[in-house]
Amino acid sequence: MSSSGKRKVVIRDANGYDHMLSRYYAMRNMPRPDSYVFDQESLSGFSNTDPPNFATMATTSVVPVDLNVFLLKMELDIAFIMEICGDKNGSDRFVKVSKARMKAFEAVFWNAEGGQWLDYWLFSSGDEPETWKTENQKTNVFAFNFAPIWISSFDSNENLVEKVVKALENPWLIAPAGILTSLTNSEQQWDYPNGWALQQEIIVTGLAKSGLKEAKEICVYAGDVCWNQSIKNLKTKD
């Protein structure tokens, strides 16, 4: 039986196949240096009876879509660069790794009913393979649930792109200033009503590359509302 590390976990799907994925795992149990005062204030009211909030987040128990998208893109890019440089063995190695991660996206993260990829919640320590369960997928809607559309293997799948476009429209993630980070108003910078440039770039780029008419319409709309809102803000300041 294969084992996992602190930053890597193994999820065993319903067919008995093991998939290696990554999670965030900081080697410290301290407030963030960039938000030290805020974190101290949040943790000062912590208790076991508190409802789920920022102070009760369990980051290491989540296998996130966003981190694994970044790693997959990096693996694909490294494979391409090595091929260009003539290192076929190195390129083949990273192609193999990237293909394995792509399979994990389909087996662990993808939710066909929701038309998006969902973070996966671990119920064990992650030291041994954990059997995949549908109920372990986190149903919270985040912009980064759609980040895998950035990867060519996904944006070239027309049926998949159609589901992603429909899902993007249904939860109202497309707002007057672009794509929202989430639908949860937690007063945190990564939640509603904020939107981050990186998320806009990744999602819009993937949709645009797909060639699907409906996907391009979302790109144009998101771009127009961002531009119009910026112009409106400038006029207000004047």
Short mmCIF file of all heavy atoms in Angstrom, two decimals, residues 122-166:
data_model
loop_
_atom_site.label_atom_id
_atom_site.label_comp_id
_atom_site.label_asym_id
_atom_site.label_seq_id
_atom_site.Cartn_x
_atom_site.Cartn_y
_atom_site.Cartn_z
N LEU A 122 -10.64 15.68 3.35
CA LEU A 122 -10.05 14.47 3.92
C LEU A 122 -10.62 14.20 5.31
O LEU A 122 -10.69 15.10 6.14
CB LEU A 122 -8.53 14.62 4.03
CG LEU A 122 -7.74 14.76 2.74
CD1 LEU A 122 -6.29 15.12 3.05
CD2 LEU A 122 -7.80 13.48 1.92
N PHE A 123 -10.98 12.95 5.55
CA PHE A 123 -11.47 12.60 6.88
C PHE A 123 -10.44 11.79 7.67
O PHE A 123 -10.68 11.41 8.80
CB PHE A 123 -12.79 11.83 6.77
CG PHE A 123 -13.96 12.75 6.59
CD1 PHE A 123 -14.38 13.11 5.32
CD2 PHE A 123 -14.62 13.28 7.68
CE1 PHE A 123 -15.46 13.97 5.15
CE2 PHE A 123 -15.69 14.15 7.53
CZ PHE A 123 -16.12 14.49 6.25
N SER A 124 -9.29 11.53 7.04
CA SER A 124 -8.20 10.87 7.75
C SER A 124 -7.03 11.84 7.82
O SER A 124 -7.12 12.96 7.35
CB SER A 124 -7.79 9.58 7.03
OG SER A 124 -7.17 9.89 5.79
N SER A 125 -5.92 11.41 8.37
CA SER A 125 -4.75 12.27 8.49
C SER A 125 -4.03 12.47 7.17
O SER A 125 -3.19 13.35 7.02
CB SER A 125 -3.77 11.67 9.51
OG SER A 125 -3.28 10.42 9.03
N GLY A 126 -4.36 11.64 6.19
CA GLY A 126 -3.70 11.72 4.90
C GLY A 126 -2.43 10.89 4.84
O GLY A 126 -1.72 10.89 3.83
N ASP A 127 -2.12 10.15 5.91
CA ASP A 127 -0.90 9.33 5.95
C ASP A 127 -1.04 8.05 5.13
O ASP A 127 -0.06 7.46 4.72
CB ASP A 127 -0.55 8.98 7.40
CG ASP A 127 -0.13 10.20 8.19
OD1 ASP A 127 0.41 11.13 7.57
OD2 ASP A 127 -0.34 10.22 9.41
N GLU A 128 -2.27 7.61 4.93
CA GLU A 128 -2.52 6.41 4.13
C GLU A 128 -3.59 6.74 3.09
O GLU A 128 -4.34 7.70 3.23
CB GLU A 128 -3.00 5.26 5.03
CG GLU A 128 -1.95 4.78 6.02
CD GLU A 128 -0.77 4.11 5.33
OE1 GLU A 128 -0.95 3.62 4.19
OE2 GLU A 128 0.32 4.08 5.93
N PRO A 129 -3.67 5.94 2.01
CA PRO A 129 -4.68 6.19 0.97
C PRO A 129 -6.08 6.28 1.56
O PRO A 129 -6.45 5.48 2.41
CB PRO A 129 -4.54 4.99 0.04
CG PRO A 129 -3.12 4.55 0.21
CD PRO A 129 -2.80 4.80 1.66
N GLU A 130 -6.84 7.27 1.11
CA GLU A 130 -8.20 7.43 1.59
C GLU A 130 -9.17 7.11 0.46
O GLU A 130 -9.00 7.58 -0.67
CB GLU A 130 -8.43 8.87 2.06
CG GLU A 130 -9.84 9.12 2.55
CD GLU A 130 -9.97 10.43 3.32
OE1 GLU A 130 -9.03 10.76 4.06
OE2 GLU A 130 -10.99 11.10 3.16
N THR A 131 -10.18 6.31 0.74
CA THR A 131 -11.15 5.91 -0.28
C THR A 131 -12.06 7.07 -0.64
O THR A 131 -12.64 7.71 0.24
CB THR A 131 -12.00 4.72 0.20
OG1 THR A 131 -11.13 3.63 0.54
CG2 THR A 131 -12.96 4.27 -0.89
N TRP A 132 -12.18 7.34 -1.93
CA TRP A 132 -12.97 8.47 -2.42
C TRP A 132 -14.44 8.26 -2.16
O TRP A 132 -14.98 7.18 -2.34
CB TRP A 132 -12.75 8.63 -3.93
CG TRP A 132 -13.41 9.83 -4.53
CD1 TRP A 132 -12.89 11.08 -4.65
CD2 TRP A 132 -14.73 9.90 -5.10
NE1 TRP A 132 -13.79 11.92 -5.27
CE2 TRP A 132 -14.93 11.22 -5.54
CE3 TRP A 132 -15.75 8.97 -5.27
CZ2 TRP A 132 -16.12 11.64 -6.16
CZ3 TRP A 132 -16.94 9.38 -5.87
CH2 TRP A 132 -17.10 10.69 -6.31
N LYS A 133 -15.10 9.34 -1.68
CA LYS A 133 -16.55 9.30 -1.44
C LYS A 133 -17.16 10.58 -2.00
O LYS A 133 -16.59 11.67 -1.85
CB LYS A 133 -16.86 9.20 0.05
CG LYS A 133 -16.40 7.92 0.72
CD LYS A 133 -16.81 7.93 2.19
CE LYS A 133 -16.42 6.62 2.88
NZ LYS A 133 -14.96 6.43 2.94
N THR A 134 -18.30 10.47 -2.63
CA THR A 134 -18.98 11.62 -3.23
C THR A 134 -19.22 12.72 -2.20
O THR A 134 -19.01 13.90 -2.47
CB THR A 134 -20.33 11.21 -3.84
OG1 THR A 134 -20.14 10.16 -4.77
CG2 THR A 134 -21.00 12.38 -4.53
N GLU A 135 -19.63 12.30 -1.00
CA GLU A 135 -19.97 13.29 0.03
C GLU A 135 -18.75 14.06 0.54
O GLU A 135 -18.90 15.05 1.26
CB GLU A 135 -20.70 12.63 1.19
CG GLU A 135 -19.93 11.51 1.87
CD GLU A 135 -20.24 10.14 1.31
OE1 GLU A 135 -20.61 10.06 0.12
OE2 GLU A 135 -20.10 9.15 2.05
N ASN A 136 -17.55 13.61 0.20
CA ASN A 136 -16.34 14.31 0.63
C ASN A 136 -16.00 15.51 -0.26
O ASN A 136 -15.12 16.29 0.08
CB ASN A 136 -15.14 13.35 0.64
CG ASN A 136 -15.18 12.40 1.84
OD1 ASN A 136 -16.24 12.08 2.34
ND2 ASN A 136 -14.02 11.95 2.26
N GLN A 137 -16.67 15.63 -1.39
CA GLN A 137 -16.45 16.80 -2.24
C GLN A 137 -17.12 18.01 -1.58
O GLN A 137 -18.28 17.95 -1.18
CB GLN A 137 -17.04 16.59 -3.63
CG GLN A 137 -16.24 15.65 -4.50
CD GLN A 137 -16.76 15.62 -5.92
OE1 GLN A 137 -17.95 15.71 -6.16
NE2 GLN A 137 -15.85 15.48 -6.87
N LYS A 138 -16.36 19.10 -1.47
CA LYS A 138 -16.91 20.31 -0.86
C LYS A 138 -17.80 21.01 -1.89
O LYS A 138 -17.38 21.26 -3.01
CB LYS A 138 -15.78 21.25 -0.43
CG LYS A 138 -14.86 20.64 0.62
CD LYS A 138 -13.87 21.65 1.15
CE LYS A 138 -14.56 22.69 2.00
NZ LYS A 138 -13.57 23.61 2.62
N THR A 139 -19.00 21.35 -1.50
CA THR A 139 -19.97 21.91 -2.45
C THR A 139 -19.91 23.43 -2.54
O THR A 139 -20.67 24.03 -3.30
CB THR A 139 -21.40 21.48 -2.07
OG1 THR A 139 -21.67 21.89 -0.72
CG2 THR A 139 -21.56 19.97 -2.19
N ASN A 140 -19.03 24.07 -1.77
CA ASN A 140 -18.92 25.52 -1.82
C ASN A 140 -18.51 25.97 -3.23
O ASN A 140 -17.64 25.37 -3.85
CB ASN A 140 -17.86 26.02 -0.83
CG ASN A 140 -18.15 25.55 0.59
OD1 ASN A 140 -18.10 24.36 0.86
ND2 ASN A 140 -18.45 26.47 1.48
N VAL A 141 -19.13 27.04 -3.70
CA VAL A 141 -18.84 27.55 -5.04
C VAL A 141 -17.75 28.62 -4.96
O VAL A 141 -17.92 29.65 -4.32
CB VAL A 141 -20.10 28.14 -5.70
CG1 VAL A 141 -19.75 28.71 -7.08
CG2 VAL A 141 -21.16 27.06 -5.84
N PHE A 142 -16.62 28.35 -5.62
CA PHE A 142 -15.51 29.30 -5.71
C PHE A 142 -15.13 29.48 -7.18
O PHE A 142 -15.35 28.59 -8.00
CB PHE A 142 -14.28 28.77 -4.96
CG PHE A 142 -14.49 28.52 -3.50
CD1 PHE A 142 -14.64 27.25 -3.00
CD2 PHE A 142 -14.52 29.59 -2.61
CE1 PHE A 142 -14.82 27.01 -1.65
CE2 PHE A 142 -14.71 29.38 -1.24
CZ PHE A 142 -14.86 28.08 -0.77
N ALA A 143 -14.55 30.62 -7.49
CA ALA A 143 -14.10 30.86 -8.85
C ALA A 143 -13.09 29.80 -9.28
O ALA A 143 -13.12 29.31 -10.42
CB ALA A 143 -13.48 32.26 -8.96
N PHE A 144 -12.21 29.42 -8.36
CA PHE A 144 -11.17 28.46 -8.71
C PHE A 144 -11.71 27.04 -8.93
O PHE A 144 -10.96 26.16 -9.35
CB PHE A 144 -10.07 28.45 -7.65
CG PHE A 144 -8.92 29.36 -7.99
CD1 PHE A 144 -8.39 30.21 -7.04
CD2 PHE A 144 -8.37 29.36 -9.26
CE1 PHE A 144 -7.33 31.06 -7.34
CE2 PHE A 144 -7.31 30.20 -9.58
CZ PHE A 144 -6.79 31.05 -8.62
N ASN A 145 -13.01 26.82 -8.68
CA ASN A 145 -13.61 25.53 -9.04
C ASN A 145 -13.56 25.33 -10.55
O ASN A 145 -13.64 24.21 -11.05
CB ASN A 145 -15.07 25.46 -8.60
CG ASN A 145 -15.22 25.33 -7.09
OD1 ASN A 145 -14.25 25.39 -6.36
ND2 ASN A 145 -16.45 25.15 -6.64
N PHE A 146 -13.42 26.45 -11.28
CA PHE A 146 -13.44 26.42 -12.74
C PHE A 146 -12.05 26.60 -13.34
O PHE A 146 -11.89 26.63 -14.56
CB PHE A 146 -14.38 27.50 -13.26
CG PHE A 146 -15.78 27.39 -12.73
CD1 PHE A 146 -16.16 28.04 -11.56
CD2 PHE A 146 -16.72 26.60 -13.38
CE1 PHE A 146 -17.45 27.91 -11.05
CE2 PHE A 146 -18.01 26.46 -12.88
CZ PHE A 146 -18.38 27.12 -11.72
N ALA A 147 -11.02 26.69 -12.50
CA ALA A 147 -9.66 26.93 -12.97
C ALA A 147 -9.11 25.86 -13.91
O ALA A 147 -8.33 26.17 -14.81
CB ALA A 147 -8.72 27.13 -11.78
N PRO A 148 -9.50 24.58 -13.77
CA PRO A 148 -8.94 23.56 -14.67
C PRO A 148 -9.25 23.80 -16.14
O PRO A 148 -8.58 23.23 -17.01
CB PRO A 148 -9.60 22.27 -14.17
CG PRO A 148 -9.80 22.51 -12.70
CD PRO A 148 -10.22 23.95 -12.64
N ILE A 149 -10.24 24.65 -16.44
CA ILE A 149 -10.56 24.96 -17.83
C ILE A 149 -9.38 25.64 -18.51
O ILE A 149 -9.29 25.75 -19.73
CB ILE A 149 -11.83 25.84 -17.91
CG1 ILE A 149 -12.53 25.68 -19.27
CG2 ILE A 149 -11.55 27.28 -17.62
CD1 ILE A 149 -13.11 24.33 -19.51
N TRP A 150 -8.44 26.12 -17.72
CA TRP A 150 -7.19 26.74 -18.18
C TRP A 150 -6.28 25.74 -18.88
O TRP A 150 -5.45 26.09 -19.70
CB TRP A 150 -6.49 27.32 -16.94
CG TRP A 150 -5.27 28.13 -17.13
CD1 TRP A 150 -5.01 29.05 -18.11
CD2 TRP A 150 -4.14 28.17 -16.25
NE1 TRP A 150 -3.79 29.64 -17.90
CE2 TRP A 150 -3.25 29.12 -16.76
CE3 TRP A 150 -3.81 27.49 -15.07
CZ2 TRP A 150 -2.03 29.41 -16.13
CZ3 TRP A 150 -2.62 27.79 -14.45
CH2 TRP A 150 -1.74 28.74 -14.98
N ILE A 151 -6.43 24.45 -18.54
CA ILE A 151 -5.59 23.39 -19.08
C ILE A 151 -6.14 22.91 -20.42
O ILE A 151 -7.33 22.60 -20.55
CB ILE A 151 -5.51 22.20 -18.09
CG1 ILE A 151 -5.07 22.70 -16.70
CG2 ILE A 151 -4.57 21.13 -18.61
CD1 ILE A 151 -3.71 23.35 -16.66
N SER A 152 -5.27 22.81 -21.42
CA SER A 152 -5.69 22.49 -22.79
C SER A 152 -6.49 21.20 -22.89
O SER A 152 -7.45 21.12 -23.65
CB SER A 152 -4.47 22.41 -23.71
OG SER A 152 -3.84 23.67 -23.79
N SER A 153 -6.10 20.19 -22.15
CA SER A 153 -6.80 18.90 -22.22
C SER A 153 -8.26 19.03 -21.81
O SER A 153 -9.11 18.23 -22.22
CB SER A 153 -6.11 17.86 -21.33
OG SER A 153 -4.81 17.61 -21.80
N PHE A 154 -8.57 20.02 -20.98
CA PHE A 154 -9.94 20.23 -20.54
C PHE A 154 -10.69 21.20 -21.44
O PHE A 154 -11.86 20.98 -21.76
CB PHE A 154 -9.96 20.72 -19.09
CG PHE A 154 -9.39 19.75 -18.10
CD1 PHE A 154 -8.45 20.14 -17.16
CD2 PHE A 154 -9.78 18.42 -18.10
CE1 PHE A 154 -7.91 19.25 -16.25
CE2 PHE A 154 -9.25 17.50 -17.20
CZ PHE A 154 -8.31 17.92 -16.26
N ASP A 155 -10.04 22.30 -21.85
CA ASP A 155 -10.76 23.29 -22.65
C ASP A 155 -11.05 22.79 -24.07
O ASP A 155 -11.82 23.41 -24.81
CB ASP A 155 -10.03 24.64 -22.68
CG ASP A 155 -8.70 24.60 -23.42
OD1 ASP A 155 -8.61 24.00 -24.49
OD2 ASP A 155 -7.72 25.20 -22.91
N SER A 156 -10.43 21.68 -24.47
CA SER A 156 -10.67 21.12 -25.80
C SER A 156 -11.83 20.12 -25.80
O SER A 156 -12.23 19.63 -26.85
CB SER A 156 -9.41 20.43 -26.33
OG SER A 156 -9.00 19.38 -25.45
N ASN A 157 -12.37 19.84 -24.61
CA ASN A 157 -13.49 18.92 -24.47
C ASN A 157 -14.79 19.73 -24.51
O ASN A 157 -15.19 20.34 -23.53
CB ASN A 157 -13.37 18.15 -23.14
CG ASN A 157 -14.45 17.09 -22.97
OD1 ASN A 157 -15.56 17.22 -23.46
ND2 ASN A 157 -14.11 16.04 -22.26
N GLU A 158 -15.45 19.73 -25.68
CA GLU A 158 -16.63 20.59 -25.87
C GLU A 158 -17.75 20.28 -24.90
O GLU A 158 -18.39 21.19 -24.36
CB GLU A 158 -17.13 20.46 -27.31
CG GLU A 158 -18.25 21.44 -27.65
CD GLU A 158 -18.63 21.42 -29.11
OE1 GLU A 158 -17.70 21.47 -29.96
OE2 GLU A 158 -19.83 21.37 -29.41
N ASN A 159 -18.02 19.01 -24.66
CA ASN A 159 -19.09 18.62 -23.74
C ASN A 159 -18.80 19.12 -22.33
O ASN A 159 -19.70 19.63 -21.64
CB ASN A 159 -19.22 17.10 -23.74
CG ASN A 159 -20.36 16.63 -22.84
OD1 ASN A 159 -21.49 17.06 -22.97
ND2 ASN A 159 -20.04 15.72 -21.92
N LEU A 160 -17.55 19.02 -21.92
CA LEU A 160 -17.16 19.48 -20.58
C LEU A 160 -17.27 21.00 -20.49
O LEU A 160 -17.77 21.54 -19.50
CB LEU A 160 -15.73 19.02 -20.29
CG LEU A 160 -15.17 19.32 -18.90
CD1 LEU A 160 -14.22 18.22 -18.46
CD2 LEU A 160 -14.43 20.66 -18.88
N VAL A 161 -16.83 21.71 -21.54
CA VAL A 161 -16.88 23.17 -21.53
C VAL A 161 -18.33 23.66 -21.45
O VAL A 161 -18.63 24.63 -20.74
CB VAL A 161 -16.20 23.76 -22.79
CG1 VAL A 161 -16.38 25.28 -22.84
CG2 VAL A 161 -14.72 23.41 -22.81
N GLU A 162 -19.23 22.98 -22.13
CA GLU A 162 -20.65 23.35 -22.08
C GLU A 162 -21.18 23.28 -20.65
O GLU A 162 -21.93 24.15 -20.21
CB GLU A 162 -21.47 22.43 -22.99
CG GLU A 162 -21.27 22.71 -24.48
CD GLU A 162 -22.05 21.73 -25.35
OE1 GLU A 162 -22.58 20.74 -24.79
OE2 GLU A 162 -22.13 21.96 -26.56
N LYS A 163 -20.78 22.23 -19.93
CA LYS A 163 -21.22 22.07 -18.53
C LYS A 163 -20.63 23.16 -17.65
O LYS A 163 -21.31 23.70 -16.76
CB LYS A 163 -20.82 20.69 -18.01
CG LYS A 163 -21.58 19.54 -18.65
CD LYS A 163 -21.17 18.20 -18.07
CE LYS A 163 -21.97 17.07 -18.70
NZ LYS A 163 -21.59 15.75 -18.16
N VAL A 164 -19.36 23.51 -17.90
CA VAL A 164 -18.69 24.55 -17.12
C VAL A 164 -19.36 25.91 -17.34
O VAL A 164 -19.59 26.66 -16.40
CB VAL A 164 -17.19 24.61 -17.49
CG1 VAL A 164 -16.56 25.88 -16.93
CG2 VAL A 164 -16.47 23.39 -16.96
N VAL A 165 -19.67 26.22 -18.61
CA VAL A 165 -20.32 27.49 -18.94
C VAL A 165 -21.67 27.59 -18.24
O VAL A 165 -22.01 28.63 -17.64
CB VAL A 165 -20.50 27.63 -20.47
CG1 VAL A 165 -21.41 28.81 -20.80
CG2 VAL A 165 -19.15 27.82 -21.14
N LYS A 166 -22.45 26.52 -18.29
CA LYS A 166 -23.76 26.52 -17.64
C LYS A 166 -23.64 26.72 -16.14
O LYS A 166 -24.40 27.45 -15.52
CB LYS A 166 -24.48 25.20 -17.94
CG LYS A 166 -25.89 25.13 -17.40
CD LYS A 166 -26.58 23.84 -17.80
CE LYS A 166 -28.00 23.77 -17.24
NZ LYS A 166 -28.67 22.49 -17.61
#
